Amino acid sequence: MSVTPPPVRRWAALPMFVLAVALVAVAGSLSSASTGSQYIALAKPTFAPSPWLFGPVWTILYCLIAVAGWLAWSARGWTPALSVYTAQLLLNAAWMPLFFTADQYGLAFADICLLWLLIVANVVLFWPLHRAAALLLLPYLLWVTYAAALNLAIWQLN
């Protein structure tokens, strides 16, 4: 059974959570760095956002994700909830290469559906550990819901 880390160790771990999430963001950015024109050229549904919106939204979401993971860890140390957290980060990192680099819109949709399920599981598992951690994941869940609908529509249109 995990125990709550001491206060000094808790704060020292925050940069590690930020770094882990930043690595996910960098992996996604590198796989989509030269795909702006590719995204613009895709047939998209009417509800597709302007490409400039993705950067600011994901920056905010990645900050929330890092703090949520850190809060959950701070509450009880490493628990199964953090294993789910790690798995959802890996699925998050895999989506952009599938969608943009490999043009595998169907596989990307399968990935984002699994990601959505793991985010829901994370919210449920974080709730008893730290309610704020669970709540911080809700904007991420909403955006991934929207992104999944967008992914599905682009897959159908292209």
Side-chain angles (χ1 to χ4, degrees):
M1 180 168 176
S2 296
V3 295
T4 304
V8 171
R9 195 167 138 226
R10 272 187 288 198
W11 283 103
L14 178 57
M16 300 308 293
F17 280 88
V18 171
L19 178 62
V21 173
L23 289 174
V24 170
V26 167
S29 294
L30 291 176
S31 68
S32 66
S34 61
T35 59
S37 60
Q38 174 191 350
Y39 178 77
I40 291 169
L42 288 171
K44 291 179 286 304
T46 57
F47 62 86
S50 179
W52 69 264
L53 186 62
F54 291 104
V57 167
W58 276 110
T59 299
I60 293 165
L61 292 175
Y62 283 136
C63 290
L64 296 175
I65 294 164
V67 172
W70 174 72
L71 287 173
W73 176 83
S74 294
R76 299 265 173 83
W78 194 270
T79 65
L82 273 295
S83 296
V84 173
Y85 177 84
T86 302
Q88 66 84 11
L89 285 177
L90 293 172
L91 285 173
N92 183 312
W95 185 85
M96 287 187 82
L98 286 171
F99 189 89
F100 287 110
T101 307
D103 297 325
Q104 293 294 317
Y105 308 129
L107 284 175
F109 182 67
D111 175 275
I112 205 167
C113 288
L114 289 172
L115 173 60
W116 188 91
L117 289 171
L118 288 182
I119 297 167
V120 169
N122 246 164
V123 170
V124 170
L125 292 169
F126 278 9
W127 187 259
L129 299 177
H130 198 290
R131 287 191 177 145
L135 294 172
L136 286 172
L137 292 179
L138 293 180
Y140 178 36
L141 180 62
L142 291 173
W143 183 261
V144 168
T145 301
Y146 172 69
L150 183 60
N151 185 156
L152 178 60
I154 289 173
W155 180 28
Q156 291 174 336
L157 293 169
N158 294 277

